[in-house]
Structure formats: C-alpha cells, structure tokens
Amino acid sequence: MSEDFYDVLGVSRDASEDEIKDAYRKKATEYHPDVSDDPDAEEKFKKIKKAKEVLTDEEQRQAYDRLGHERFEQADKRGGFDGGAGNGRRGAGGPFGGMGGMGGGGSDFEDFINQFFGGGGGRGRSQSNRPQQGQDLQTRLTVDLEDAYEGISKELTYTRPEHCSDCDGSGHPPDADVRTCPACNGQGQQTTVQQTALGRVQQTQTCRRCGGEGELYDEECSTCNGDGIVRAEKTVSVDIPAGIRDGQKVRYDGGGAPGANGGPPGDLIIEIRIRDHEQFERDGDNLYLQHAISFPQAVFGATVEVPTLDGTEDLSVPSGTQSGETFTVDGAGMPRTRRRGHGDLHVQVQVVTPDDLNAEQREALEAFAEAGGEEVEVNEGFFEKLRNTF
Ligand SMILES: [Zn+2]
Ligand SMILES: [Zn+2]
C-alpha cells in the first residue's frame, strides 16, 4: 500500500469530502481487523483511518496538499495535526479565532501551525488533542517457586478498557449525522473572560458539551454508549524470567488502557508473587533445605541424594556430622537475574533417631553404649526423648 493518503483511500486529489468518506467506509469495512483475514489488516486500517481523518479536515487537508506526505508526517509527529476534530477545524475564521493562544504552552509545533494557518485556531487545542499514551494498568500474578526457577510463560486473563470496535472508538456510528457543536462553535474549547482587580482575565477550557471534539453526533454507538471505550476481557502471555523474586514487576508492553487521539496504549504492570514452597525456603538467590540423614550416615559419613528444584544432587556428608549442621551444594540455588549462574543450596541435615529398632539393632546399640562406658537402662521414653531434642 502506498503511503500517500489519497492513494491509501483510492481517491483523486480533487475528491470531495463525501467521496473521501465513501471511500473510507468501503476500505474500512474491507480492512477492519475484526473482519479481515489480511495479516496486516490492523496496520492498513490505521493508515486508512489516518488518511480519512486528515483528508476530511479542511485545514489538515490543505496543509497536507501544501507540504506533501513526508513533511506533513514530520510535522504531525512533532505535535499534533492528529486528533481529528477541533484541531484548527472551522476554527480559524470563527469568533474565537486567535484567542486560543491563551491556554497554549508555546511549542515549536504551535509556531508551525501559526505559520501556516495565520495564527488562528490550533493553539491550545493542539495541546488537548495531542496523541496521549494510555494509562498503565496494574495486576498480580502468583507462580510457584519452580516457575521462578525455570522461567515461564504464563497466560493471564484480565479486564481492561479497549476502544469500542463497533465505532472504532469514536462513540458514534460511522454514518451518524454530525453537526458543529453550538456551545463552542466547533472550536472544542470555550473561552471565558472575567473582570478582576488586575484587569480582564481570559480562560480557555475544553468544551463540556462536545468534550473538545468540536462536533456533536445525532446518534451514539449502542455498544459503548458513546464512550468509545468498552471493558473487555483480555488474555495475554506473560514472560516471567528465570530467577524472578517475590514482589518484582514485569511489564507487558501495550497491555494497558488505550491511548487518546491515536496515542499508544499504556502498559500492563504485573507484580509477581511466589507461593511458599513445601521444602525450600528462599533468600535472594540461595535456597535452604532441611534434609534427614540416618544415625550411621552421620557417624560414618555418606554421600546422600538431596532434592533440588530441577532434580537431585549428591551431597557428601562427612563422618561425625552433627544434627543441625549445614552443608552447601554450589550452584543448586535460584538462577541469578543480573549475572550468570545460580545461587547455592544450603542443606541443614537432621539426624533421625531410629524409633523402631529390631532386636539385633537394639543389642548392637546397647553394646555401643556400654563400650563407651555408659550405663544403659533402656526405658520406653528414651527414644521419644531423644527425638524431641531435634
Ligand atoms: Zn462504540
Ligand atoms: Zn463544543
């Protein structure tokens, strides 16, 4: 598709406004992302819409014809031919022409506008109709420690405001009759003059009647009740990086509220919560685990298999290990997010006291005690007591 707005709509350079609107309706139906199979439909639809906006706005069209596509686009990017209704439209010759500047901030773009439109219109309004990014939305997502270990892509369903697709966010059916807002005479803004001790003070504010659009429609979109916005359930796939910590946030670009005047949507900010794990405790990149070993393993030393978040690791326990001693398995902790590698796994061993000895084991243990010079009088509570000390 050519970039030129006339080509985009397939109309001649001297096409009337009605011809342009007709062409837009046909193209829009063809390329509406909801109905078109064309993979580039959304992009094309945006171009069609933009072309229609510019070419049905007398002042914008004049500027477009005069500047050519490229220079117009540059100027547009700098600040705001975009935003459709009200921006310079009908304004320059109206009773408020030339007064809008009171509210304006004096940007390059406004100077630019004034250069081409003789100082009328644009100012002030170009502020409110400038493309604005939508708001960020916040939500939470809870994952398992295993997910945080591996990194995971998780589906998340949430509700967000979206442009109403039935009216393409305009709030009215595309064929609704339109008239100039009588309250602001199509300016989109109203100027009030107050007499104060210091003299006359002019104030310019967005027209309440038309919400700054400068025009009123005889019909509202029934889907969104004229808001142009509907609440829609949205499912997105969120990439959670390996090693993420509880409370960290992930940004999903473009998942927020829609922008105004063609501005980009905000983002979705997802706070990640991590469920407590049955076995592992986490501190930063390190993991902590309690692991049982037998009395002979503690006495003689052994290689024991300990669980990790993605399998098992061998841990060498030296002879003479005391219950409660901690050993480290290097690199078996959480992945580090800012540098390579993993944290460590710290294993605290618990020596398990046997409580169901058979006769042979009992005899051997008594012999063990006596060999150490201990008087052994075995009673029922002995093992029970021993166990309770751990
Ligand atoms: Zn609607
Ligand atoms: Zn108005």
Side-chain angles (χ1 to χ4, degrees):
M1 202 190 271
S2 156
E3 296 292 317
D4 183 274
F5 289 159
Y6 291 96
D7 291 348
V8 164
L9 292 175
V11 295
S12 66
R13 301 196 89 77
D14 56 11
S16 71
E17 193 173 328
D18 282 345
E19 285 170 43
I20 289 166
K21 281 183 173 165
D22 270 358
Y24 165 71
R25 250 171 244 145
K26 276 189 199 120
K27 292 270 181 186
T29 321
E30 192 180 335
Y31 286 109
H32 197 289
D34 285 354
V35 298
S36 174
D37 292 324
D38 190 325
D40 298 319
E42 193 167 341
E43 198 50 40
K44 287 179 181 163
F45 186 71
K46 270 189 205 152
K47 279 186 190 164
I48 293 160
K49 195 168 164 243
K50 175 77 190 174
K52 175 252 182 183
E53 267 170 25
V54 171
L55 297 186
T56 54
D57 182 312
E58 202 179 315
E59 307 231 10
Q60 289 198 54
R61 186 175 175 181
Q62 271 175 25
Y64 185 78
D65 289 344
R66 192 170 355 193
L67 296 170
H69 185 80
E70 224 176 282
R71 284 181 63 205
F72 180 86
E73 288 276 90
Q74 278 165 10
D76 193 26
K77 280 204 186 81
R78 283 168 59 193
F81 281 112
D82 202 354
N87 192 3
R89 176 182 294 188
R90 298 181 203 99
F96 297 108
M99 278 159 72
M102 293 302 292
S107 71
D108 285 354
F109 178 72
E110 283 156 10
D111 294 344
F112 183 84
I113 283 273
N114 291 337
Q115 204 177 317
F116 281 98
F117 301 139
R123 299 188 74 150
R125 270 193 309 283
S126 68
Q127 295 259 329
S128 59
N129 284 338
R130 217 165 256 184
Q132 277 183 330
Q133 182 161 23
Q135 291 214 317
D136 289 345
L137 300 176
Q138 317 266 348
T139 189
R140 273 184 180 178
L141 180 62
T142 303
V143 300
D144 291 324
L145 189 60
E146 281 88 348
D147 298 334
Y149 181 85
E150 298 274 353
I152 191 177
S153 185
K154 253 204 153 28
E155 298 230 307
L156 168 68
T157 300
Y158 65 109
T159 306
R160 71 170 184 190
E162 270 179 11
H163 280 307
C164 172
S165 61
D166 286 353
C167 62
D168 197 36
S170 65
H172 52 82
D175 54 357
D177 279 336
V178 59
R179 64 198 160 97
T180 302
C181 172
C184 63
N185 204 29
Q187 294 276 303
Q189 292 202 326
Q190 287 171 309
T191 302
T192 53
V193 180
Q194 261 186 320
Q195 198 68 45
T196 72
L198 298 170
R200 278 153 61 88
V201 175
Q202 281 188 349
Q203 252 194 333
T204 305
Q205 41 186 209
T206 302
C207 174
R208 270 185 222 142
R209 179 93 181 261
C210 63
E213 282 201 42
E215 35 190 36
L216 295 171
Y217 295 85
D218 66 344
E219 220 182 316
E220 280 184 347
C221 169
S222 57
T223 309
C224 61
N225 295 322
D227 291 340
I229 299 279
V230 290
R231 293 191 72 75
E233 211 164 67
K234 174 95 180 157
T235 299
V236 294
S237 185
V238 184
D239 287 326
I240 299 165
I244 194 159
R245 298 189 183 180
D246 187 57
Q248 267 188 308
K249 288 171 180 173
V250 172
R251 184 175 284 264
Y252 186 89
D253 290 344
N261 304 320
D267 297 332
L268 178 65
I269 313 290
I270 305 139
E271 183 183 344
I272 305 295
R273 305 310 309 254
I274 298 174
R275 269 186 209 101
D276 285 341
H277 196 278
E278 281 186 2
Q279 285 183 290
F280 297 97
E281 296 229 19
R282 178 187 195 179
D283 181 21
D285 296 327
N286 295 327
L287 290 172
Y288 293 83
L289 173 73
Q290 303 226 333
H291 190 70
I293 59 172
S294 72
F295 182 60
Q297 283 174 328
V299 174
F300 299 118
T303 298
V304 297
E305 207 174 60
V306 295
T308 63
L309 278 174
D310 67 346
T312 58
E313 285 278 346
D314 284 342
L315 173 67
S316 204
V317 178
S319 59
T321 291
Q322 304 296 316
S323 198
E325 268 191 78
T326 298
F327 302 96
T328 301
V329 184
D330 289 338
M334 297 297 287
R336 302 187 197 279
T337 45
R338 281 168 213 273
R339 42 200 177 107
R340 296 172 71 88
H342 286 65
D344 300 327
L345 171 63
H346 299 288
V347 183
Q348 187 181 45
V349 297
Q350 303 294 344
V351 178
V352 177
T353 303
D355 60 355
D356 55 348
L357 297 174
N358 59 35
E360 207 179 327
Q361 287 171 319
R362 180 176 289 247
E363 226 168 83
L365 201 53
E366 283 171 12
F368 166 80
E370 277 164 25
E374 291 177 45
E375 289 275 320
V376 183
E377 194 190 321
V378 182
N379 59 42
E380 280 301 297
F382 173 75
F383 292 110
E384 199 61 36
K385 234 181 267 168
L386 204 56
R387 217 182 16 249
N388 288 341
T389 62
F390 298 113

mmCIF file of all heavy atoms in Angstrom, residues 50 53-54 57 59-60 63-64 67 71-73 75-77 79-84 87 109 112-113 116-117 129 131:
data_model
loop_
_atom_site.group_PDB
_atom_site.id
_atom_site.type_symbol
_atom_site.label_atom_id
_atom_site.label_comp_id
_atom_site.label_asym_id
_atom_site.label_seq_id
_atom_site.Cartn_x
_atom_site.Cartn_y
_atom_site.Cartn_z
ATOM 1 N N LYS A 50 -6.274 7.175 9.366
ATOM 2 C CA LYS A 50 -5.481 8.399 9.424
ATOM 3 C C LYS A 50 -5.707 9.242 8.161
ATOM 4 O O LYS A 50 -5.900 10.459 8.222
ATOM 5 C CB LYS A 50 -3.997 8.010 9.547
ATOM 6 C CG LYS A 50 -3.038 9.158 9.495
ATOM 7 C CD LYS A 50 -3.021 9.886 10.814
ATOM 8 C CE LYS A 50 -2.231 11.177 10.681
ATOM 9 N NZ LYS A 50 -2.307 11.978 11.879
ATOM 10 N N GLU A 53 -8.999 10.898 8.332
ATOM 11 C CA GLU A 53 -9.017 11.982 9.311
ATOM 12 C C GLU A 53 -8.425 13.261 8.723
ATOM 13 O O GLU A 53 -8.963 14.347 8.878
ATOM 14 C CB GLU A 53 -8.222 11.583 10.557
ATOM 15 C CG GLU A 53 -9.062 10.971 11.634
ATOM 16 C CD GLU A 53 -8.211 10.359 12.742
ATOM 17 O OE1 GLU A 53 -7.052 10.800 12.926
ATOM 18 O OE2 GLU A 53 -8.693 9.424 13.374
ATOM 19 N N VAL A 54 -7.299 13.077 8.055
ATOM 20 C CA VAL A 54 -6.605 14.249 7.526
ATOM 21 C C VAL A 54 -7.370 14.852 6.344
ATOM 22 O O VAL A 54 -7.583 16.059 6.285
ATOM 23 C CB VAL A 54 -5.162 13.888 7.105
ATOM 24 C CG1 VAL A 54 -4.519 15.038 6.354
ATOM 25 C CG2 VAL A 54 -4.337 13.523 8.334
ATOM 26 N N ASP A 57 -10.584 16.819 6.971
ATOM 27 C CA ASP A 57 -10.414 18.025 7.767
ATOM 28 C C ASP A 57 -9.821 19.090 6.849
ATOM 29 O O ASP A 57 -8.677 18.963 6.392
ATOM 30 C CB ASP A 57 -9.479 17.728 8.938
ATOM 31 C CG ASP A 57 -9.301 18.948 9.839
ATOM 32 O OD1 ASP A 57 -9.041 20.055 9.320
ATOM 33 O OD2 ASP A 57 -9.414 18.780 11.059
ATOM 34 N N GLU A 59 -8.589 22.004 7.004
ATOM 35 C CA GLU A 59 -7.298 22.645 7.256
ATOM 36 C C GLU A 59 -6.136 21.664 7.161
ATOM 37 O O GLU A 59 -5.080 21.979 6.632
ATOM 38 C CB GLU A 59 -7.312 23.293 8.639
ATOM 39 C CG GLU A 59 -8.501 24.196 8.787
ATOM 40 C CD GLU A 59 -8.118 25.581 9.272
ATOM 41 O OE1 GLU A 59 -6.920 25.892 9.309
ATOM 42 O OE2 GLU A 59 -9.019 26.334 9.615
ATOM 43 N N GLN A 60 -6.387 20.493 7.701
ATOM 44 C CA GLN A 60 -5.329 19.480 7.623
ATOM 45 C C GLN A 60 -5.077 19.083 6.174
ATOM 46 O O GLN A 60 -3.946 18.864 5.761
ATOM 47 C CB GLN A 60 -5.714 18.239 8.429
ATOM 48 C CG GLN A 60 -5.677 18.449 9.925
ATOM 49 C CD GLN A 60 -5.632 17.118 10.665
ATOM 50 O OE1 GLN A 60 -4.778 16.277 10.423
ATOM 51 N NE2 GLN A 60 -6.573 16.928 11.582
ATOM 52 N N ALA A 63 -3.021 21.675 4.489
ATOM 53 C CA ALA A 63 -1.623 21.558 4.915
ATOM 54 C C ALA A 63 -0.959 20.353 4.241
ATOM 55 O O ALA A 63 0.185 20.419 3.798
ATOM 56 C CB ALA A 63 -1.547 21.414 6.434
ATOM 57 N N TYR A 64 -1.718 19.285 4.144
ATOM 58 C CA TYR A 64 -1.200 18.067 3.520
ATOM 59 C C TYR A 64 -0.868 18.308 2.048
ATOM 60 O O TYR A 64 0.195 17.927 1.557
ATOM 61 C CB TYR A 64 -2.221 16.935 3.667
ATOM 62 C CG TYR A 64 -1.721 15.598 3.163
ATOM 63 C CD1 TYR A 64 -0.847 14.840 3.919
ATOM 64 C CD2 TYR A 64 -2.113 15.111 1.927
ATOM 65 C CE1 TYR A 64 -0.378 13.627 3.463
ATOM 66 C CE2 TYR A 64 -1.655 13.900 1.448
ATOM 67 C CZ TYR A 64 -0.775 13.154 2.225
ATOM 68 O OH TYR A 64 -0.305 11.953 1.775
ATOM 69 N N LEU A 67 2.229 20.651 1.926
ATOM 70 C CA LEU A 67 3.512 20.142 2.427
ATOM 71 C C LEU A 67 3.962 18.864 1.740
ATOM 72 O O LEU A 67 5.144 18.553 1.704
ATOM 73 C CB LEU A 67 3.404 19.857 3.930
ATOM 74 C CG LEU A 67 3.143 21.056 4.828
ATOM 75 C CD1 LEU A 67 2.810 20.591 6.234
ATOM 76 C CD2 LEU A 67 4.351 21.966 4.849
ATOM 77 N N ARG A 71 6.662 15.746 4.612
ATOM 78 C CA ARG A 71 6.792 16.882 5.537
ATOM 79 C C ARG A 71 5.581 16.984 6.455
ATOM 80 O O ARG A 71 5.691 17.391 7.608
ATOM 81 C CB ARG A 71 6.983 18.182 4.742
ATOM 82 C CG ARG A 71 8.395 18.306 4.195
ATOM 83 C CD ARG A 71 8.580 19.597 3.432
ATOM 84 N NE ARG A 71 8.402 20.770 4.268
ATOM 85 C CZ ARG A 71 8.032 21.969 3.807
ATOM 86 N NH1 ARG A 71 7.812 22.132 2.519
ATOM 87 N NH2 ARG A 71 7.877 22.983 4.615
ATOM 88 N N PHE A 72 4.437 16.596 5.933
ATOM 89 C CA PHE A 72 3.249 16.617 6.776
ATOM 90 C C PHE A 72 3.406 15.636 7.938
ATOM 91 O O PHE A 72 3.133 15.957 9.090
ATOM 92 C CB PHE A 72 2.008 16.243 5.957
ATOM 93 C CG PHE A 72 0.740 16.248 6.780
ATOM 94 C CD1 PHE A 72 0.022 17.420 6.956
ATOM 95 C CD2 PHE A 72 0.286 15.085 7.375
ATOM 96 C CE1 PHE A 72 -1.131 17.426 7.720
ATOM 97 C CE2 PHE A 72 -0.870 15.091 8.144
ATOM 98 C CZ PHE A 72 -1.583 16.266 8.313
ATOM 99 N N GLU A 73 3.879 14.436 7.607
ATOM 100 C CA GLU A 73 4.060 13.415 8.636
ATOM 101 C C GLU A 73 5.050 13.878 9.689
ATOM 102 O O GLU A 73 4.858 13.659 10.886
ATOM 103 C CB GLU A 73 4.565 12.105 8.007
ATOM 104 C CG GLU A 73 3.523 11.383 7.193
ATOM 105 C CD GLU A 73 2.614 10.508 8.066
ATOM 106 O OE1 GLU A 73 1.584 11.033 8.526
ATOM 107 O OE2 GLU A 73 2.932 9.351 8.275
ATOM 108 N N ALA A 75 5.734 16.968 10.563
ATOM 109 C CA ALA A 75 5.089 17.998 11.385
ATOM 110 C C ALA A 75 4.081 17.355 12.325
ATOM 111 O O ALA A 75 3.958 17.731 13.489
ATOM 112 C CB ALA A 75 4.399 19.009 10.481
ATOM 113 N N ASP A 76 3.399 16.354 11.827
ATOM 114 C CA ASP A 76 2.384 15.655 12.612
ATOM 115 C C ASP A 76 3.013 14.986 13.819
ATOM 116 O O ASP A 76 2.523 15.060 14.939
ATOM 117 C CB ASP A 76 1.714 14.624 11.707
ATOM 118 C CG ASP A 76 0.452 14.077 12.344
ATOM 119 O OD1 ASP A 76 -0.140 14.798 13.175
ATOM 120 O OD2 ASP A 76 0.064 12.959 12.010
ATOM 121 N N LYS A 77 4.160 14.350 13.564
ATOM 122 C CA LYS A 77 4.857 13.663 14.653
ATOM 123 C C LYS A 77 5.328 14.651 15.699
ATOM 124 O O LYS A 77 5.381 14.349 16.877
ATOM 125 C CB LYS A 77 6.062 12.893 14.105
ATOM 126 C CG LYS A 77 5.658 11.572 13.484
ATOM 127 C CD LYS A 77 6.794 10.573 13.480
ATOM 128 C CE LYS A 77 6.418 9.311 12.726
ATOM 129 N NZ LYS A 77 6.555 9.467 11.276
ATOM 130 N N GLY A 79 3.890 17.050 16.841
ATOM 131 C CA GLY A 79 2.987 17.524 17.865
ATOM 132 C C GLY A 79 1.511 17.485 17.620
ATOM 133 O O GLY A 79 0.757 17.680 18.557
ATOM 134 N N GLY A 80 1.012 17.264 16.442
ATOM 135 C CA GLY A 80 -0.411 17.075 16.514
ATOM 136 C C GLY A 80 -1.332 17.625 15.476
ATOM 137 O O GLY A 80 -2.285 18.270 15.854
ATOM 138 N N PHE A 81 -1.120 17.373 14.210
ATOM 139 C CA PHE A 81 -2.257 17.508 13.315
ATOM 140 C C PHE A 81 -3.274 16.460 13.726
ATOM 141 O O PHE A 81 -4.443 16.597 13.546
ATOM 142 C CB PHE A 81 -1.856 17.227 11.866
ATOM 143 C CG PHE A 81 -1.160 18.376 11.221
ATOM 144 C CD1 PHE A 81 0.170 18.295 10.875
ATOM 145 C CD2 PHE A 81 -1.855 19.546 10.967
ATOM 146 C CE1 PHE A 81 0.807 19.358 10.275
ATOM 147 C CE2 PHE A 81 -1.213 20.605 10.354
ATOM 148 C CZ PHE A 81 0.122 20.520 10.011
ATOM 149 N N ASP A 82 -2.728 15.385 14.288
ATOM 150 C CA ASP A 82 -3.561 14.252 14.671
ATOM 151 C C ASP A 82 -4.576 14.684 15.730
ATOM 152 O O ASP A 82 -4.459 15.726 16.330
ATOM 153 C CB ASP A 82 -2.676 13.152 15.248
ATOM 154 C CG ASP A 82 -3.377 11.813 15.156
ATOM 155 O OD1 ASP A 82 -4.557 11.784 14.759
ATOM 156 O OD2 ASP A 82 -2.752 10.820 15.479
ATOM 157 N N GLY A 83 -5.542 13.823 15.988
ATOM 158 C CA GLY A 83 -6.512 14.180 16.994
ATOM 159 C C GLY A 83 -7.783 14.666 16.362
ATOM 160 O O GLY A 83 -8.766 14.936 17.021
ATOM 161 N N GLY A 84 -7.797 14.737 15.066
ATOM 162 C CA GLY A 84 -9.032 14.924 14.328
ATOM 163 C C GLY A 84 -9.790 16.173 14.720
ATOM 164 O O GLY A 84 -9.259 17.270 14.667
ATOM 165 N N ASN A 87 -9.141 20.368 15.822
ATOM 166 C CA ASN A 87 -7.805 20.914 15.665
ATOM 167 C C ASN A 87 -7.727 21.831 14.448
ATOM 168 O O ASN A 87 -7.444 21.403 13.358
ATOM 169 C CB ASN A 87 -6.789 19.778 15.537
ATOM 170 C CG ASN A 87 -5.382 20.311 15.668
ATOM 171 O OD1 ASN A 87 -5.186 21.507 15.904
ATOM 172 N ND2 ASN A 87 -4.418 19.439 15.503
ATOM 173 N N PHE A 109 5.576 23.296 17.641
ATOM 174 C CA PHE A 109 4.511 22.907 16.751
ATOM 175 C C PHE A 109 3.489 24.031 16.611
ATOM 176 O O PHE A 109 2.966 24.276 15.537
ATOM 177 C CB PHE A 109 3.816 21.653 17.249
ATOM 178 C CG PHE A 109 2.675 21.279 16.354
ATOM 179 C CD1 PHE A 109 2.929 20.768 15.091
ATOM 180 C CD2 PHE A 109 1.370 21.483 16.739
ATOM 181 C CE1 PHE A 109 1.896 20.454 14.246
ATOM 182 C CE2 PHE A 109 0.331 21.173 15.888
ATOM 183 C CZ PHE A 109 0.590 20.654 14.642
ATOM 184 N N PHE A 112 4.624 26.459 14.292
ATOM 185 C CA PHE A 112 4.499 25.878 12.976
ATOM 186 C C PHE A 112 3.075 26.045 12.447
ATOM 187 O O PHE A 112 2.849 26.474 11.324
ATOM 188 C CB PHE A 112 4.856 24.386 13.082
ATOM 189 C CG PHE A 112 4.838 23.670 11.780
ATOM 190 C CD1 PHE A 112 5.944 23.698 10.950
ATOM 191 C CD2 PHE A 112 3.712 22.964 11.393
ATOM 192 C CE1 PHE A 112 5.926 23.016 9.750
ATOM 193 C CE2 PHE A 112 3.696 22.277 10.193
ATOM 194 C CZ PHE A 112 4.800 22.309 9.367
ATOM 195 N N ILE A 113 2.139 25.738 13.316
ATOM 196 C CA ILE A 113 0.719 25.898 12.969
ATOM 197 C C ILE A 113 0.439 27.348 12.595
ATOM 198 O O ILE A 113 -0.189 27.637 11.581
ATOM 199 C CB ILE A 113 -0.174 25.522 14.175
ATOM 200 C CG1 ILE A 113 -0.247 24.016 14.312
ATOM 201 C CG2 ILE A 113 -1.561 26.107 14.025
ATOM 202 C CD1 ILE A 113 -1.334 23.363 13.503
ATOM 203 N N PHE A 116 1.391 28.455 9.214
ATOM 204 C CA PHE A 116 0.583 28.002 8.076
ATOM 205 C C PHE A 116 -0.865 28.457 8.147
ATOM 206 O O PHE A 116 -1.523 28.596 7.151
ATOM 207 C CB PHE A 116 0.638 26.476 7.964
ATOM 208 C CG PHE A 116 1.899 26.024 7.324
ATOM 209 C CD1 PHE A 116 2.956 25.606 8.104
ATOM 210 C CD2 PHE A 116 2.062 26.066 5.953
ATOM 211 C CE1 PHE A 116 4.146 25.213 7.524
ATOM 212 C CE2 PHE A 116 3.248 25.658 5.363
ATOM 213 C CZ PHE A 116 4.291 25.238 6.157
ATOM 214 N N PHE A 117 -1.331 28.660 9.355
ATOM 215 C CA PHE A 117 -2.746 28.980 9.475
ATOM 216 C C PHE A 117 -2.969 30.411 9.952
ATOM 217 O O PHE A 117 -4.032 30.775 10.412
ATOM 218 C CB PHE A 117 -3.442 28.003 10.433
ATOM 219 C CG PHE A 117 -3.313 26.584 9.983
ATOM 220 C CD1 PHE A 117 -3.064 25.572 10.889
ATOM 221 C CD2 PHE A 117 -3.428 26.263 8.636
ATOM 222 C CE1 PHE A 117 -2.946 24.268 10.465
ATOM 223 C CE2 PHE A 117 -3.313 24.957 8.208
ATOM 224 C CZ PHE A 117 -3.065 23.950 9.131
ATOM 225 N N ASN A 129 -5.646 17.843 22.101
ATOM 226 C CA ASN A 129 -5.905 16.810 21.098
ATOM 227 C C ASN A 129 -4.657 16.058 20.678
ATOM 228 O O ASN A 129 -4.667 15.295 19.733
ATOM 229 C CB ASN A 129 -6.557 17.426 19.858
ATOM 230 C CG ASN A 129 -8.016 17.726 20.148
ATOM 231 O OD1 ASN A 129 -8.598 17.138 21.046
ATOM 232 N ND2 ASN A 129 -8.580 18.651 19.409
ATOM 233 N N PRO A 131 -1.795 13.323 20.595
ATOM 234 C CA PRO A 131 -1.841 11.889 20.941
ATOM 235 C C PRO A 131 -1.286 11.691 22.347
ATOM 236 O O PRO A 131 -0.252 12.241 22.699
ATOM 237 C CB PRO A 131 -0.908 11.257 19.905
ATOM 238 C CG PRO A 131 -0.850 12.210 18.785
ATOM 239 C CD PRO A 131 -1.022 13.575 19.373
#
